Amino acid sequence: MAASERIVGESRAHRSGVNLVLWAILILFVLTAPAYIYPVFAMQLLCFALFACAFNLLLGFTGLLSFGHAAFFGAAAYVTGHVIKIWGLPPVAGIFVGTAVAAALGYVIGSLAIRRQGIYFAMITLALAQIIYFLGLQLPFTGGENGLQGIPRGHLFGIFDLDRPLVMYYFVAAIFMIGFLIIYRTIHSPFGQVLKSIRENEARALSLGYNVTRFKLIAFIISAALSGLAGATKSVVFQFASLTDLHWQTSGEVILMTLLGGLGTIFGPVVGAITIVSLQHELSSLGSWVNVVIGLIFIVCVLAFRRGIVGELARLLKTSSM
Amino acid sequence: MFEMGDFILEARSLSKEFGGFAAVRDVDLAIRRGSIHALIGPNGAGKTTVFNLLTKFLSPTRGSIVFEGRDITSLKPADVANLGIIRSFQISAVFPHLTALENVRVALQRKLGISYHFWRSPRVLEGLHGEAMEKLASVGLANFADSPAVLLSYGRKRALEIATTLALDPTLMLLDEPTQGMGAEDVGRVTDLIKEVSAGRTILMVEHNLGVVSRLADAITVLNRGRVLAEGPYEAVSRNPEVMEAYMGTSAEDADG
């Protein structure tokens, strides 16, 4: 008994040591990124990193594969753009409204989809997300094919001018860190423990008396809301919301980011998002060939390192939670 | 003899049809409080279906289920579990990538009533570690607290499953083939364990191994083709000619399973 407790102690210390290093790298990166990365690009990285982390909460920690997460990302982008541009709301309020709408949409889509499991769940989320896509195309306020253009960034709390790149960057960085911390806490909370047990063995979680459907729905809403937060922030950064934000390809990309970075790891989706968005950026001169390159990377990833970048790293460092 | 309160669980004319096929037909089952009741029968007799009906993983086509005087026929699985009926599964039901300690703790945390609190620190769960270690020690897993369940041997997985079930302090435990697929040594250990934890509880178990049944069960219900074939103590049931024909005839291969 004493021996086992010592082993427990050592591995926990090791784990928290590795985690501390990763936290330090993440915070350092978020704080210093504009020094060596073009600020708008750095903001794009953070928005997609948050999106991927929110997605990972569902796939990596609850075991639900949603194929329609672009609906939340895009809907929030449009709503935030609209309330800032037309209603004249300040940026924080605009982003809040977009996030709230994504959460409400998450409640509706989630309630319908979690009645089914596995591939049927994925198909229902895809189908409902396609409905949102066509609403984005057809509704009068969305600007159709052109999207919603010219969203003003405005002033943060009426004081800080968000048109200044560095001010905008640190605003986005703060949003990213808040979102990331919410996800981190959710994963490690008592609620997160139940989510993991549902992922591991749903029937058993049910037989222990947990209302599995309700846990899944709450996880879905949190994930949808934070995906919305990412989309809303993105629309303020780029000052437009477009059909790309709602497109199923965006739903696919976020899956790719999560798998490449490391499914069910804390930091994996951040690494995956940075990798994919950087590749798209660096290889943009190749045109459509970007997709071929990313497809090849995905194949290599699935064949050679299934746990994803951070997942493999965690295995090498012999720690279970990164 | 059949007065109320004597039985903790009573099922009356329980039937389940799957698209015209009657998996369970008019099964009456009465489990005496504090007893170990075994449900036996050849493969496909409907034993697991009965388990799924009693725990509401399936809804009966006809019939009613009464637990502690309360009709639970229309409840959901989680509600049934909350009343104190906790089941295990034929394949070992652990959470493979959680540690043994976390497996037990997931069951323990339910009583804290904070399982929906996604904003709470995991530290609130550390108060459960002492109790979780106690449960693990009671099934001989104290030294494996920090091992992921997936790395445990088959026998230890079943022990962990029992520890997790015990953590909920169930009134009625339903064990689905607790010794299936085990070597002789593990069978002995798990049988002892069930005997040990049965004190003050009621257990309903599906079991193929008749040695285990004869050692543990106070009462036996034999199912065949979805119907109750015989009922009573082991000695009486095992001498029943119908049972010998329907069940014992296939017991040689089942005993291996």
Side-chain angles (χ1 to χ4, degrees):
Chain A
M1 176 103 175
S4 85
E5 272 175 353
R6 203 174 61 242
I7 295 165
V8 172
E10 271 168 11
S11 77
R12 290 216 177 115
H14 174 61
R15 202 186 298 172
S16 63
V18 172
N19 263 318
L20 219 60
V21 172
L22 285 162
W23 272 104
I25 294 172
L26 179 75
I27 291 169
L28 203 68
F29 172 76
V30 171
L31 286 177
T32 62
Y36 41 86
I37 303 176
Y38 177 55
V40 172
F41 180 63
M43 290 184 246
Q44 189 186 0
L45 290 181
L46 292 184
C47 289
F48 279 97
L50 178 57
F51 185 25
C53 288
F55 177 79
N56 186 41
L57 176 64
L58 210 52
L59 180 58
F61 291 96
T62 319
L64 292 174
L65 171 59
S66 159
F67 211 95
H69 255 47
F72 311 119
F73 185 79
Y78 274 103
V79 169
T80 296
H82 183 76
V83 299
I84 290 178
K85 186 181 170 187
I86 310 296
W87 297 4
L89 255 53
V92 173
I95 288 172
F96 180 79
V97 172
T99 305
V101 168
L105 196 59
Y107 174 74
V108 175
I109 293 183
S111 306
L112 293 167
I114 52 178
R115 292 152 188 254
R116 293 287 173 268
Q117 293 175 336
I119 192 71
Y120 302 103
F121 173 86
M123 287 297 114
I124 292 170
T125 53
L126 173 62
L128 294 172
Q130 285 303 96
I131 292 175
I132 304 296
Y133 175 83
F134 283 103
L135 288 177
L137 187 62
Q138 299 292 345
L139 284 178
F141 80 93
T142 58
E145 297 275 1
N146 299 322
L148 200 60
Q149 310 259 357
I151 301 163
R153 281 182 179 174
H155 287 69
L156 181 60
F157 308 127
I159 305 167
F160 305 105
D161 183 4
L162 291 179
D163 278 322
R164 293 170 57 195
L166 275 185
V167 177
M168 185 67 202
Y169 176 80
Y170 284 105
F171 176 49
V172 173
I175 290 172
F176 169 79
M177 283 314 298
I178 291 168
F180 190 80
L181 286 171
I182 292 173
I183 292 164
Y184 182 82
R185 173 43 60 86
T186 304
I187 288 167
H188 291 95
S189 67
F191 176 75
Q193 279 296 319
V194 179
L195 287 189
K196 279 179 235 172
S197 72
I198 291 171
R199 173 193 70 187
E200 297 282 302
N201 191 334
E202 186 173 334
R204 179 56 167 169
L206 187 60
S207 80
L208 294 181
Y210 288 112
N211 186 341
V212 167
T213 314
R214 197 150 159 222
F215 278 93
K216 282 181 176 175
L217 181 59
I218 295 173
F220 197 94
I221 294 170
I222 296 173
S223 174
L226 292 168
S227 300
L229 178 63
T233 309
K234 199 231 80 173
S235 77
V236 179
V237 170
F238 287 96
Q239 302 184 270
F240 68 82
S242 73
L243 286 174
T244 312
D245 300 337
L246 286 171
H247 202 271
W248 62 264
Q249 209 169 337
T250 304
S251 299
E253 262 165 27
V254 78
I255 299 174
L256 190 57
M257 289 170 188
T258 307
L259 292 179
L260 182 66
L263 182 65
T265 62
I266 311 276
F267 297 95
V270 179
V271 175
I274 291 175
T275 311
I276 298 286
V277 176
S278 302
L279 277 171
Q280 285 169 340
H281 189 72
E282 293 299 319
L283 303 176
S284 57
S285 57
L286 295 178
S288 306
W289 287 97
V290 175
N291 293 327
V292 176
V293 175
I294 290 176
L296 283 173
I297 290 171
F298 185 58
I299 292 169
V300 170
C301 167
V302 169
L303 290 178
F305 53 110
R306 270 174 221 197
R307 292 161 218 259
I309 299 168
V310 173
E312 290 295 335
L313 200 63
R315 194 172 59 91
L316 289 176
L317 295 171
K318 293 188 174 56
T319 169
S320 60
S321 73
M322 279 174 81
Chain B
M1 176 173 175
F2 284 94
E3 53 191 286
M4 284 296 294
D6 209 358
F7 296 108
I8 191 165
L9 184 100
E10 283 177 279
R12 295 190 197 103
S13 20
L14 207 56
S15 304
K16 179 66 186 177
E17 287 165 13
F18 295 103
F21 168 72
V24 171
R25 279 181 287 186
D26 293 320
V27 166
D28 291 318
L29 197 64
I31 319 271
R32 197 172 291 278
R33 189 183 302 277
S35 69
I36 299 182
H37 195 120
L39 201 55
I40 65 172
N43 287 326
K47 306 180 298 282
T48 297
T49 308
V50 168
F51 257 48
N52 284 331
L53 291 172
L54 294 179
T55 48
K56 304 303 302 163
F57 276 64
L58 288 173
S59 285
T61 313
R62 281 187 308 281
S64 68
I65 307 161
V66 175
F67 176 67
E68 306 236 61
R70 184 180 162 182
D71 191 312
I72 61 164
T73 316
S74 56
L75 294 186
K76 292 193 169 121
D79 301 330
V80 172
N82 282 309
L83 289 177
I85 306 179
I86 308 293
R87 70 173 292 180
S88 74
F89 294 82
Q90 217 168 70
I91 42 166
S92 71
V94 294
F95 303 117
H97 295 98
L98 302 186
T99 64
L101 184 85
E102 285 170 332
N103 264 270
V104 177
R105 202 180 61 186
V106 164
L108 286 173
Q109 82 172 59
R110 215 188 71 201
K111 66 180 176 200
L112 297 181
I114 54 165
S115 290
Y116 288 109
H117 294 194
F118 58 83
W119 57 90
R120 290 287 275 273
S121 158
R123 283 199 197 94
V124 296
L125 298 175
E126 278 168 19
L128 299 171
H129 284 188
E131 205 182 339
M133 283 306 295
E134 239 171 69
K135 299 286 179 214
L136 286 176
S138 75
V139 299
L141 288 178
N143 287 322
F144 298 90
D146 215 36
S147 307
V150 66
L151 297 181
L152 298 177
S153 73
Y154 189 77
R156 291 200 174 106
K157 278 192 188 117
R158 303 293 328 215
L160 176 59
E161 194 185 330
I162 290 173
T164 308
T165 305
L166 285 176
L168 291 168
D169 200 17
T171 324
L172 174 62
M173 276 171 89
L174 277 69
L175 306 174
D176 198 351
E177 304 199 23
T179 66
Q180 195 208 18
M182 281 185 187
E185 187 198 341
D186 277 341
V187 169
R189 211 165 53 188
V190 169
T191 308
D192 291 342
L193 188 58
I194 293 170
K195 187 80 206 164
E196 222 175 281
V197 305
S198 69
R201 295 176 210 285
T202 312
I203 294 178
L204 173 64
M205 60 192 284
V206 166
E207 184 55 64
H208 273 307
N209 188 322
L210 292 181
V212 174
V213 171
S214 68
R215 261 196 67 200
L216 290 177
D218 302 306
I220 296 172
T221 299
V222 187
L223 285 184
N224 191 30
R225 299 186 182 180
R227 287 181 191 279
V228 175
L229 194 63
E231 233 174 346
Y234 183 79
E235 296 74 29
V237 167
S238 61
R239 280 197 298 269
N240 182 319
E242 267 188 288
V243 173
M244 285 168 83
E245 191 189 323
Y247 185 74
M248 308 302 173
T250 62
S251 72
E253 56 182 281
D254 282 330
D256 295 336

